[in-house]
Amino acid sequence: MIAGYGFGYALAGWGIAGSALTIYVTLLLQRGRRASKRVPAGKRRWSDPDVPA
Amino acid sequence: MTAPAATAAPTAPDAPAGTGSRVTRILGVISLVLFGALVLYGLVLSPPESDPTPNEATNGGQGDAMRLIYVHVPAASMMYIPFILCFVGSLFWLFKKSVWWDTLAGAAAEIGVLLCGIVLATGSVWGRPTWGTYWDWDPLLTSTALLFLMFLGYLAIRRIPAEPEVRNRRAALVALAASVNVPIVHFAVEWWRSLHQSATIATFDVKIDGLQLFTLMLGFAAYATMLAWLLIHRFRLAWLEDRAEEEFLAMAIAERRAEGGVAR
């Protein structure tokens, strides 16, 4: 592949999308681990549609 | 709100240590493989766009700038899903008053804002080599920017301290109002004259073919699996954070009662 017209823009766009997703995923996993430590093991259920407000 | 270290919950060997599970690990691996393939095909193997009538500005079509389609278009298509989920979650919360629906709405909105931000940023970078500008007050671009700001506002409103029911109702009403913009964004190129091109892939009118089409499909698959992964993890995180806050409050109340000598 020979980089032609606009390849720099393509790389910039891919870089923005990839960086944003990577940073968000990393933070999401970190926050998940932190939140887990603060909840008793028996209450770490994630889907109970009947819990009232 | 961060609980002090002394209040950390006891752990059990079989309790999940995060928001992951077998399903999300499988989804994560599939997503990573698809994104790896997308990088290979999108930046290396698929051909650049060539134009049979090259002009001075582009020196023959969009050239390699066209490769932005593989990250921009799938993100633009997938961003509707979390916004629609937020709308549905908010609507159901108003009817059923169940925390589950509010949690879903909040989690989905955050993912929608992330994808919308990616769409705006990659679209802006793409605009420079194709339109000669990073930004234009075009109907599609403007309504997309508004959508981004409205749901950013929705996320801010969710963070304003209030009684859970008051906060949830306020957030749900804002989400319903912001969701009106979703169809406007989607149909903007059809309803108004727009600098932005119409859909690359409509039901019966595909404008690209061959390896480019395959790579675009790969982009859709990669974004779809990643979206599922993100939604599941974000929902679980919100659920855990709510439970953690409840635990913290219960513990704080118990401590205050103990200090005051009040019998439980």
Side-chain angles (χ1 to χ4, degrees):
Chain A
M1 181 195 63
I2 300 165
Y5 176 80
F7 194 73
Y9 290 105
L11 271 186
W14 277 69
I16 289 168
S19 305
L21 289 173
T22 306
I23 291 168
Y24 185 76
V25 165
T26 307
L27 291 176
L28 197 58
L29 291 173
Q30 279 179 357
R31 286 169 70 191
R33 275 195 287 270
R34 274 203 301 270
S36 278
K37 285 178 185 165
R38 292 160 49 204
V39 178
K43 292 188 179 177
R44 288 180 206 164
R45 291 179 299 120
W46 297 305
S47 58
D48 189 353
D50 296 325
V51 174
Chain B
M1 181 167 49
T2 307
T7 64
T11 54
D14 58 338
T19 47
S21 62
R22 192 162 174 264
V23 171
T24 58
R25 277 189 282 277
I26 292 169
L27 266 176
V29 169
I30 293 172
S31 184
L32 275 177
V33 169
L34 288 173
F35 267 103
L38 183 64
V39 170
L40 182 68
Y41 277 91
L43 289 177
V44 183
L45 298 179
S46 75
E49 190 200 44
S50 58
D51 192 338
T53 55
N55 60 62
E56 200 174 308
T58 61
N59 198 24
Q62 294 185 29
D64 281 309
M66 178 264 176
R67 296 178 191 281
L68 280 160
I69 196 174
Y70 308 125
V71 287
H72 175 78
V73 172
S77 301
M78 292 298 155
M79 89 176 171
Y80 292 126
I81 296 173
F83 286 140
I84 290 168
L85 280 176
C86 180
F87 171 79
V88 172
S90 301
L91 201 63
F92 271 72
W93 186 86
L94 287 172
F95 284 111
K96 296 190 77 174
K97 298 284 188 291
S98 157
V99 173
W100 195 89
W101 290 107
D102 175 70
T103 308
L104 175 71
E110 192 174 293
I111 311 293
V113 167
L114 171 75
L115 289 179
C116 194
I118 289 173
V119 170
L120 286 168
T122 53
S124 177
V125 171
W126 200 359
R128 184 68 183 88
T130 51
W131 301 335
T133 180
Y134 286 106
W135 184 259
D136 186 79
W137 295 104
D138 165 276
L140 178 63
L141 275 62
T142 308
S143 56
T144 309
L146 268 177
L147 187 70
F148 178 76
L149 292 174
M150 286 167 106
F151 275 94
L152 209 57
Y154 166 81
L155 292 176
I157 279 170
R158 290 187 66 87
R159 286 176 171 268
I160 297 173
E163 286 293 314
E165 187 159 353
V166 173
R167 184 201 67 171
N168 294 356
R169 187 186 308 114
R170 204 155 47 192
L173 292 173
V174 171
L176 295 185
S179 298
V180 172
N181 201 12
V182 173
I184 294 175
V185 169
H186 185 71
F187 292 109
V189 285
E190 293 175 26
W191 289 347
W192 297 286
R193 286 184 62 183
S194 176
L195 188 61
H196 196 281
Q197 69 174 69
S198 57
T200 303
I201 299 177
T203 314
F204 300 108
D205 183 21
V206 179
K207 295 185 177 69
I208 60 173
D209 56 10
L211 205 50
Q212 292 174 336
L213 182 63
F214 170 77
T215 310
L216 186 57
M217 293 296 120
L218 198 60
F220 278 113
Y223 268 91
T225 49
M226 185 210 54
L227 175 64
W229 187 95
L230 286 174
L231 283 170
I232 294 171
H233 273 273
R234 187 63 189 86
F235 177 89
R236 289 173 175 177
L237 171 63
W239 192 262
L240 280 175
E241 283 178 338
D242 280 352
R243 300 292 84 72
E245 196 164 327
E246 282 171 9
E247 288 296 314
F248 180 79
L249 285 173
M251 200 166 287
I253 290 168
E255 279 175 12
R256 290 295 294 273
R257 279 181 171 160
E259 282 170 11
V262 179
R264 295 189 73 166

